């Protein structure tokens, strides 16, 4: 057994096996170059005995491949990103690729620093985990950085709209808004409020647009006085609901742009003495709290996103041969539970 303090090299394996370094390399890197079964077994036994770990950084330099796949998320503790991260990391490891997760903590400056690190460390691909914003300066800066990555051979794919041309694996956010409005309309609701996240968030804007277009198709009023924006948190949902109640606007249902917002809205309504769904119907988006009676007291009716598949398909795009015009839209699913009633 080798001294644990010593670093075992490919040369040590070659000496132990009585073969050349080139032959060991062919076996380790699975080059397809013919090596007899007897020699392969001898080399593999030597690797096991010496506890040899191949130098993947050196292999990356020789094969002109980078350090794996980078996933940028805005808040790793958010359930929105947990499923995506599972899909990315599990799919990457199946392909013998390392996936690194960069948590920007919703700080755009830190996000740009991550892009620079990814550029310098020569990753094979980068996955942008969230939607972009409508700020022109932000769009221009990110597009410039993504183009620099492409020039160095790093593929880029986004899991939401970014405001510039880029490969996309996502859901149809316009359809999500339409689907929510149609569901509530088909349950007899005619006065429906919309609780959204940030006003300049591109995905949220598409959900609102779809929501309003669906209501307009039924000749229903889509007044801005029933649209409330905050952030994507429970606190944001609570504040939007407070503003609705203070406004005196009458409605029978609330469609929320994510489940955190829906959870906050339900808490606010209950604190104000209302029953769900007897007094208000509430519908979420994303599917964070499926089957979680403990969190809400009542299972939430929502539109579930295929987060795991979004991460999986993004990795498959990076490792495949599709170009940057690639666009894959995954289906969503309405989860009918107990927070929407028929009128």
């Amino acid at each position: 057994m080798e001294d644990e303090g010593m670093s075992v090299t490919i040369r040590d394996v070659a000496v132990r096996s009585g073969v050349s370094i080139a032959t060991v390399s062919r076996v380790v890197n699975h080059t397809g170059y013919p090596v007899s079964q007897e020699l392969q077994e001898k080399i593999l036994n030597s690797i096991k005995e010496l506890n040899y770990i191949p130098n993947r950084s050196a292999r990356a330099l020789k094969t002109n491949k980078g350090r794996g796949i980078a996933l940028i998320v805005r808040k790793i503790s958010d359930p929105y990103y947990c499923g995506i991260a599972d899909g990315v990391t599990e799919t990457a490891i199946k392909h013998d690729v390392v996936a690194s997760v960069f948590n920007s903590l919703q700080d755009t400056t830190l996000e740009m620093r991550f892009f620079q690190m990814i550029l310098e460390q020569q990753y094979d691909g980068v996955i942008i985990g969230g939607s972009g914003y409508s700020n022109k300066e932000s769009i221009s800066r990110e597009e410039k950085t993504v183009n620099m990555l492409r020039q160095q051979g790093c593929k880029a794919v986004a899991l939401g709209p970014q405001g510039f041309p880029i490969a996309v694996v996502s859901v149809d956010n316009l359809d999500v808004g339409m689907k929510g409005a149609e569901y509530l309309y088909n349950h007899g609701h005619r006065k429906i409020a919309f609780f959204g996240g940030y006003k300049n968030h591109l995905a949220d804007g598409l959900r609102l647009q779809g929501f309003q277009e669906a209501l307009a198709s039924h000749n229903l009023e889509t007044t801005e006085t029933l649209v409330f924006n905050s952030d994507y948190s429970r606190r944001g949902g609570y504040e939007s609901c407070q503003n609705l109640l203070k406004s005196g606007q009458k409605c029978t249902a609330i469609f929320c742009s994510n489940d955190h917002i829906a959870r906050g809205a339900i808490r606010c309504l209950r604190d104000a003495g209302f029953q769900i769904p007897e007094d208000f119907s509430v519908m979420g988006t994303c599917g964070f709290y499926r089957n979680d009676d403990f969190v809400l007291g009542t299972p939430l009716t929502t539109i579930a996103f295929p987060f795991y598949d979004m991460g999986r398909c993004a990795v498959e795009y990076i490792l495949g041969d599709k170009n940057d015009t690639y666009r894959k839209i995954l289906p969503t699913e309405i989860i009918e539970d107990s927070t929407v009633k028929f009128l």
Side-chain angles (χ1 to χ4, degrees):
M1 195 67 160
E2 293 290 312
D3 185 339
E4 292 183 1
M6 299 290 287
S7 176
V8 179
T9 69
I10 192 170
R11 182 181 297 278
D12 297 323
V13 176
V15 170
R16 173 68 67 94
S17 305
V19 298
S20 69
I21 292 175
T23 301
V24 175
S25 179
R26 289 163 187 158
V27 173
V28 170
N29 296 320
H30 308 289
T31 64
Y33 191 92
V35 177
S36 71
Q37 185 67 33
E38 182 183 352
L39 276 183
Q40 285 189 50
E41 291 178 1
K42 195 171 186 179
I43 291 167
L44 292 173
N45 285 335
S46 295
I47 287 172
K48 184 176 180 180
E49 291 167 2
L50 295 172
N51 195 27
Y52 170 65
I53 300 174
N55 186 332
R56 292 188 178 273
S57 296
R59 287 169 62 185
L61 289 172
K62 289 183 178 181
T63 60
N64 200 31
K65 288 189 176 181
R67 297 177 180 273
I69 295 171
L71 167 65
I72 298 178
V73 302
R74 297 204 170 110
K75 191 176 182 182
I76 191 62
S77 60
D78 191 321
Y80 185 98
Y81 295 111
C82 293
I84 290 172
D86 282 348
V88 168
T89 54
E90 290 179 17
T91 306
I93 201 65
K94 286 178 183 177
H95 292 276
D96 197 28
V97 173
V98 173
S100 304
V101 180
F102 293 76
N103 184 19
S104 73
L105 305 173
Q106 299 180 316
D107 182 338
T108 54
T109 301
L110 183 56
E111 200 165 294
M112 293 310 297
R113 282 178 57 192
F114 287 157
F115 275 120
Q116 187 59 39
M117 291 169 62
I118 292 164
L119 190 65
E120 292 171 356
Q121 295 180 25
Q122 299 181 327
Y123 276 81
D124 296 313
V126 58
I127 300 168
I128 302 171
S131 169
Y133 297 91
S134 58
N135 178 284
K136 289 183 179 180
E137 183 181 344
S138 174
I139 290 172
S140 176
R141 185 172 61 245
E142 190 167 313
E143 181 177 20
K144 182 179 178 181
T145 304
V146 167
N147 285 336
M148 289 173 64
L149 288 167
R150 288 172 177 155
Q151 289 168 11
Q152 289 207 1
C154 177
K155 296 177 74 172
V157 57
L159 304 187
Q162 300 300 310
F164 61 87
I166 186 173
V168 173
V169 173
S170 185
V171 298
D172 185 338
N173 285 286
L174 188 75
D175 179 69
V176 167
M178 289 182 169
K179 191 176 285 186
E182 288 289 347
Y183 181 84
L184 293 170
Y185 178 86
N186 291 335
H187 279 67
H189 297 277
R190 299 295 181 265
K191 203 77 170 176
I192 309 168
F194 179 91
F195 286 2
Y198 305 111
K199 279 188 175 182
N200 64 343
H201 192 253
L202 294 173
D204 200 78
L206 288 169
R207 290 173 203 167
L208 174 58
Q209 181 185 340
F211 172 82
Q212 292 177 324
E213 288 180 5
L215 293 184
S217 72
H218 296 292
N219 298 314
L220 296 182
E221 184 180 9
T222 58
T223 173
E224 290 297 322
T225 59
L226 281 175
V227 176
F228 298 85
N229 287 89
S230 185
D231 57 29
Y232 286 106
S233 67
R234 285 170 285 168
R235 183 187 65 250
Y238 197 100
E239 290 175 357
S240 288
C241 195
Q242 283 182 318
N243 291 333
L244 169 66
L245 297 177
K246 289 176 185 177
S247 74
Q249 294 285 322
K250 301 298 182 183
C251 68
T252 61
I254 302 167
F255 178 61
C256 301
S257 196
N258 82 4
D259 290 346
H260 298 317
I261 295 172
R263 181 179 174 185
I266 289 172
R267 173 57 59 196
C268 177
L269 290 169
R270 286 180 174 158
D271 286 350
F274 295 104
Q275 299 296 312
I276 311 299
E278 290 77 12
D279 300 315
F280 282 92
S281 289
V282 178
M283 185 174 188
T285 303
C286 294
F288 299 150
Y289 301 115
R290 293 172 67 173
N291 304 316
D292 197 342
D293 296 1
F294 176 77
V295 172
L296 290 170
T298 303
L300 178 67
T301 297
T302 188
I303 301 174
F305 286 14
F307 292 116
Y308 184 94
D309 287 341
M310 288 165 66
R312 175 182 60 79
C313 291
V315 171
E316 290 173 351
Y317 161 75
I318 288 172
L319 300 179
D321 57 4
K322 304 290 185 182
N323 62 28
D324 54 21
T325 63
Y326 180 74
R327 181 175 173 81
K328 187 175 184 67
I329 301 302
L330 297 172
T332 57
E333 176 190 5
I334 291 179
I335 306 300
E336 297 189 89
D337 270 313
S338 306
T339 57
V340 173
K341 75 168 185 176
F342 278 99
L343 290 183

